[in-house]
Amino acid sequence: MDIRVSGHQVETGEALQAHASERLTVIIEKYFNRALSSHVTFGRAPAGAFRCDIIMHVMQNLVLKGTGAAQDAHVALDQAAEKIDKQLRRYKRRLKDRSEQSAHATAVEEAAYTIFEEAAAEEEREVEVDAPVVIAETRVDVPEATVSDAVMMLDLRNTTALLFKNAGTGRHNMVYRRGDGSIGWVEPH
C-alpha cells in the first residue's frame, strides 16, 4: 500500500511517519489483503493542537476519511486511525449482513420522495438575495449502486450527501444525512 505522510506547516519526522505507516498497515491487514493508497496530512488546529486527516482508498469505489485533533500529533493520528478502523469494521459487518439478507430476501420495497410546492404568494414576492460564493468544483465519478450500498458509501466517505446511479432503476438518486441523524433518499419521478 502506498502511504504518503505530509505536513501543512508541521514537520513530520521519521518517527511520526513510521507510526502512521505501521498503524494504517495493521488496520488494512485486519480487514483486507491490501489497500490502494493512503494519504495522511498533519496540520495545526486551534489552540496549538495538531490535526490529522487520513484519506484511504481501499478499493476502486471505497474511500474512507478520518480526522483527529489532539495536543500531540501521535494521539491525533491514533484518533483518525480509530475512525478509519471503525468505518472498515462497519463496512465488513454490512457486507456480511447483506449477504445473509440476500439469501432470505423475498420482497422488494419501493419508496418515493415527495416534494411539496410552495404557496403561490411566496413565488410572487421578489426578494433579492446574494448568491453564495462557489468555493470549489470537482469532478467525481457517480457510482452505480443499490440504495443500501449508497447509504453504506455515505457513511464510509463521511459525507452529508451522495449522488449515485440506482442499480435497480438506472436513474440518478441521492441519499443524504438529515439533521436528526436519519437518512433521506431522493428519487426522481
Side-chain angles (χ1 to χ4, degrees):
M1 172 172 66
D2 176 34
I3 299 174
R4 291 181 288 159
V5 179
S6 60
H8 182 73
Q9 300 177 347
V10 172
E11 278 294 318
T12 57
E14 289 183 31
L16 187 58
Q17 291 180 11
H19 180 66
S21 179
E22 289 173 18
R23 185 80 159 101
L24 295 179
T25 303
V26 167
I27 290 171
I28 284 300
E29 289 176 351
K30 190 184 327 181
Y31 299 104
F32 293 99
N33 293 336
R34 67 179 191 91
L36 299 175
S37 67
S38 295
H39 189 105
V40 181
T41 306
F42 291 95
R44 289 285 180 190
F50 289 96
R51 178 182 168 99
C52 177
D53 296 312
I54 300 174
I55 299 174
M56 182 181 291
H57 297 272
V58 179
M59 56 185 65
Q60 186 167 352
N61 288 325
L62 181 58
V63 178
L64 306 175
K65 296 178 184 177
T67 301
Q71 292 298 323
D72 182 45
H74 292 272
V75 175
L77 170 70
D78 289 338
Q79 289 176 354
E82 184 61 35
K83 291 178 183 176
I84 296 287
D85 188 15
K86 185 177 182 179
Q87 291 171 358
L88 280 172
R89 186 172 50 248
R90 285 180 177 171
Y91 175 70
K92 290 296 270 189
R93 185 178 339 121
R94 285 180 180 159
L95 285 178
K96 181 182 174 191
D97 291 346
R98 192 178 71 190
S99 66
E100 290 174 1
Q101 287 176 357
S102 65
H104 302 300
T106 57
V108 176
E109 294 182 24
E110 292 187 19
Y113 188 81
T114 305
I115 301 173
F116 297 99
E117 295 182 21
E118 293 184 26
E122 290 181 13
E123 290 178 8
E124 292 176 3
R125 285 187 302 165
E126 287 190 30
V127 178
E128 283 195 36
V129 178
D130 291 333
V133 178
V134 175
I135 302 299
E137 292 182 12
T138 58
R139 291 183 177 260
V140 294
D141 292 327
V142 177
E144 184 170 344
T146 63
V147 177
S148 61
D149 287 345
V151 170
M152 182 171 48
M153 282 188 258
L154 177 78
D155 288 338
L156 291 173
R157 293 180 180 184
N158 199 19
T159 59
T160 55
L162 176 74
L163 178 69
F164 68 101
K165 186 174 181 181
N166 192 326
T169 62
R171 301 181 77 181
H172 288 87
N173 290 187
M174 183 178 76
V175 290
Y176 62 97
R177 183 157 314 277
R178 299 169 52 109
D180 62 357
S182 60
I183 300 292
W185 172 25
V186 179
E187 183 175 27
H189 289 273

